Every structure is written in structure tokens, then in C-alpha cells.
Amino acid sequence: MSERTILVWFRNDLRIHDNEILLEAIRKADKVLPVYCFDPYYFRKNPSGNSKTGSLRARFLIESVADLRKNLENIGGTLIIRIGDPAEILPQLATQYHVNEVYHHREVAHEETAISEGVETALWKIKLNLKHFIGHTLYHKEDLPFPIKDIPDSFAVFKKKVERDSNVRPCIGTPETIHTPEIVDAGELPTLKQLGLDEPADDPRSAALFIGGETAALNQLEQIFLNTAHADTIKNPRNSPGNDHSSNLSPWIALGCISLRQVYWEVIKHQHSNLHHTNSLILDLLWRDYFRFMFKKHGQKFIAAKNSDEETQLLAANQDELFENWKNGETRVPLIDAIMHELNITGYINNYSRQIVASFLINDLKVDWTKGAAYFEEKLIDYSPASNWGNWAFIAGVNDARESRYAIATRPANELETKNDFIDTWLPGMKSVDYQAQSS
């Protein structure tokens, strides 16, 4: 009897802990072929002429793939790395290594699902099946108290029913060993230059250092709870406003370097030490689930922008100019500009700051919200399609999540300009009091 080989297509699940497709492939096959493709689609130019994926996020991705390769090697495996279209690369590798089936985690946003469909079509041509797994949510789809089509559109109702009637599954085991075929050419990690990007410069003002990979993710998860007893008193002026309870885990969660379930059960284990802190983390996980399930239920309709004549007239006539000022941190509103400087330099701002600058762009500047969402896609290290586009649409009021607004800065930005230490840090060469006087 010939050996059975399963190809595991890694995408946004760059870990060996709590990874169902990896463990299932090891159980079902004699040999497992792990593959990661750097898809040029994600590094093409966007309408503004910049890369769809910015250099900071790309560097974090490269580091995460490198760490996955190292962790697979530690259990006896080899990660194949390629640059190119997965619909071309995966059938080629499947043929070369006599693969019997391909595993991957299902995505929900339209670009990601289109890529999956392209791969599935290509594999069918060589009579291979692409098996889909669900591994990006806290609550498994099959454990929800309602079918996908009946998921409440209101986050408040979704949260109440899920917490009352569903349970989070335990994490699955971590494989101790893996057997891969004899690899002819494992491939090299690409450089940023090969991806069409420049090397980013690190800034000493950054409050957090994000290094990609599962190893760093597990370390960050451990660090969160080391000083939870003093979490309410620790503040850093370099942090974005409202950052008292930020876990800074989102970049690793976005790439699946750590699973939501693993975060959840660690939070539950430490829940007694700081209830407000742990409740805040669980709420963040629930919002991630909500946005993913809304995309699953509605597809692109969940973020479909309204295009009525009345609403179009509400947009500013000089949108392009206002948007450029916003994204460059030149609005002359100190808090907004400081947050945008932090985003542009570090690739990360906390959730509260995202609400502030998004609300300002939409409600104060009257700029099309999709411009802001696309800019965040480029800049954020922790960009996740469902969370990013869902949250922007939520703030813009184009979907039913608006019924349950939370922690959004609805006050005018100038009423929030009391974060002098933060503003002084991110507006170099100009103290907040001088900047405010000049803008008045």
C-alpha cells in the first residue's frame, strides 16, 4: 500500500499549538507536507499607489513564517516556502510529492475566499480535494445556539445568547513529531525588497515591540498576566489613549500565531487576579467572532457602503485633501494627529484610538469611510479583514452593529485633547500647548 500524504496549506494559522489541520493531517497521513505561499496579490499596489501590505506588517509576517518553520523543524518537519499564486503553486507541489488531499482553514472575507476558490478549482483539475476546517473563531460554528443565517445582527444580542448557550471548546493537543516527505527544495524566506518594500525603521517611542511568530505570541500571553494585580496603575505616556487594558496580542491573533481559544483559556485561568482586565480581553475576542460570523452570514453586504444621493451629498467636496491631512497626521487637531503619527511609525494603535480617528474621519471630516479602512489595511500590523472592515462599517453606521455601539469616541476630538504626554511624544518638535494654540 502506498503512503498517504496530506498537504497543509498555512495561511493565517501560523502555529503548531491548537491547530486542527496540522494535528488532523498528522493523524490521517503517513507524511505531511506543510506549505506557505507569499501571494503577490497581497503586495500589489492599492489605489493610492502604496503596497496593499505595508512594510511593517510584511516584516511581521516574514518573522512569523520563519518562526513557524523553526517550530516545525523542532518536531521533525520542514516548511516549504514559495512566492507566487497558491492556485499555481499548490497543484504543482501536490503533483510533485504525490499528495492525496490538501487541508486549509476556511476564510470569510471575499478576497480570501476568492483565493481559496481558485485553489479549489485548480486542485479539482488534478482530482484532489481541498478540505476546509474552521479554526479562526473562539466559538465553533457548530456550537452556536443558532444557524449562521439566524445569527443576531446586533452584537449585544449575539454576545448575550452565545455566552449563555454556548461553550468554548478546549484547545487540542500539540503534535510532538511530524513526518514530511524528502524535500527537494524547501525555498527561502523572501526579503522585503523581493516583495517590493523598503525596510522599516524602528522608532524608540514605540511602547511595544512586535516580533512575529508563535514563540513571541506565547511569551506575550504569559507577560500579560505577570503583573495583572497592578494592571490598573501601570500607564505609559507613549501608549495610545485608553490603553489601560490592552493586551497587544492582536498582531499575533491576526496571523494565527496564537488561537483565540488558547487566549481565552489563559484568561479564564487568571480571571480571579484582575476581573476588569480579563473581561476586557474576552470582550475583544467576542467582537472578533461577531465580525467573522457577520461576514459568513452576509458576505460583502455586511460592509456595503450606502450610495444614495442624499448620503453622497453629505461627503466633503475636498475629500482627497482632507484624507491626505488625516492619514499624514496634519489635521491640526493634536490628539488625532498624534494617533496617526503613532500608527504610521509603529503600525499599531489600540482599539480606543482606532475608534477616535475613524469617527473623526467619518463624522468630522465627512470623508468616505472606505478610504480609512483601506489605509488601515495597509498600515496595521494586526490587520484582519473581517475585524478591520467590519469595525469601520460599524462606525460609519452601514450595518446593524450600530445598535450596540461600544467605547466609540462620540465626543468632539478637541474635548479629548488632554493627553499631553502622549501628544508631546508623537508630535516631534512641537509641544501640545503650542500646537493647539497654532491650530486655534
Side-chain angles (χ1 to χ4, degrees), residues 11 19 124 154 158 173 178 209 216 238 272 313 358 364 411 428:
R11 300 179 74 186
N19 191 330
W124 269 116
S154 164
F158 169 81
I178 183 174
L209 178 63
R238 297 177 181 179
H272 64 279
Q313 290 171 7
D364 292 73
R411 291 171 292 167

Side-chain angles (χ1 to χ4, degrees), residues 308-326:
S308 69
D309 292 339
E310 180 181 351
E311 286 160 340
T312 301
Q313 290 171 7
L314 292 176
L315 296 176
N318 57 336
Q319 274 200 75
D320 291 343
E321 178 186 353
L322 293 172
F323 175 69
E324 288 296 314
N325 291 340
W326 176 84

Side-chain angles (χ1 to χ4, degrees), residues 52-112:
K52 185 176 176 67
T53 299
S55 58
L56 286 164
R57 180 151 62 94
R59 182 178 68 179
F60 188 84
L61 171 61
I62 292 171
E63 292 169 346
S64 298
V65 175
D67 191 65
L68 174 64
R69 170 173 271 184
K70 181 196 71 176
N71 290 335
L72 286 170
E73 288 173 350
N74 288 340
I75 59 173
T78 302
L79 177 68
I80 292 181
I81 296 173
R82 294 289 187 268
I83 303 174
D85 183 352
E88 297 177 1
I89 290 170
L90 296 180
Q92 293 170 359
L93 290 173
T95 300
Q96 180 180 357
Y97 290 97
H98 308 290
V99 167
N100 300 97
E101 197 171 17
V102 179
Y103 285 3
H104 89 129
H105 277 122
R106 187 185 295 276
E107 294 286 352
V108 293
H110 78 287
E111 292 181 339
E112 286 68 31

Side-chain angles (χ1 to χ4, degrees), residues 81-286:
I81 296 173
R82 294 289 187 268
I83 303 174
D85 183 352
E88 297 177 1
I89 290 170
L90 296 180
Q92 293 170 359
L93 290 173
T95 300
Q96 180 180 357
Y97 290 97
H98 308 290
V99 167
N100 300 97
E101 197 171 17
V102 179
Y103 285 3
H104 89 129
H105 277 122
R106 187 185 295 276
E107 294 286 352
V108 293
H110 78 287
E111 292 181 339
E112 286 68 31
T113 54
I115 290 171
S116 295
E117 290 167 0
V119 169
E120 191 165 28
T121 299
L123 290 174
W124 269 116
K125 291 180 180 178
I126 58 172
K127 296 180 171 54
L128 279 185
N129 175 55
L130 176 64
K131 185 172 182 178
H132 307 277
F133 289 78
I134 301 168
H136 294 308
T137 54
L138 178 63
Y139 289 91
H140 196 282
K141 181 187 73 170
E142 296 176 2
D143 299 334
L144 295 177
F146 26 62
I148 293 293
K149 66 181 181 64
D150 294 330
I151 292 178
D153 287 332
S154 164
F155 173 74
V157 178
F158 169 81
K159 176 179 181 295
K160 180 180 179 179
K161 290 188 175 182
V162 166
E163 289 184 326
R164 184 188 63 195
D165 300 326
S166 299
N167 294 308
V168 177
R169 294 183 180 185
C171 295
I172 63 173
T174 302
E176 296 181 357
T177 186
I178 183 174
H179 300 287
T180 56
E182 184 176 343
I183 306 298
V184 177
D185 176 19
E188 299 294 331
L189 282 162
T191 63
L192 288 173
K193 185 176 181 180
Q194 285 176 298
L195 298 176
L197 299 165
D198 296 324
E199 189 72 35
D202 291 318
D203 194 288
R205 292 172 292 177
S206 300
L209 178 63
F210 295 108
I211 298 173
E214 180 177 18
T215 303
L218 295 174
N219 181 65
Q220 177 66 15
L221 183 62
E222 181 181 355
Q223 291 297 317
I224 289 171
F225 300 103
L226 285 180
N227 297 305
T228 50
H230 306 290
D232 289 326
T233 60
I234 298 172
K235 296 183 186 292
N236 186 333
R238 297 177 181 179
N239 285 343
S240 302
N243 202 32
D244 300 5
H245 303 290
S246 176
S247 69
N248 290 343
L249 274 171
S250 56
W252 293 284
I253 289 176
L255 285 181
C257 298
I258 192 167
S259 73
L260 272 67
R261 290 190 301 204
Q262 188 162 6
V263 175
Y264 174 85
W265 287 116
E266 193 69 17
V267 167
I268 295 301
K269 186 170 76 173
H270 292 88
Q271 198 166 26
H272 64 279
S273 59
N274 190 313
L275 191 60
H276 182 64
H277 184 59
T278 53
N279 284 347
S280 176
L281 292 179
I282 291 175
L283 182 64
D284 288 344
L285 301 182
L286 281 169

Side-chain angles (χ1 to χ4, degrees), residues 407-427:
I408 291 183
T410 55
R411 291 171 292 167
N414 59 7
E415 292 182 22
L416 298 166
E417 294 168 358
T418 58
K419 311 288 185 180
N420 288 340
D421 289 340
F422 173 75
I423 292 170
D424 292 345
T425 296
W426 292 105
L427 297 179

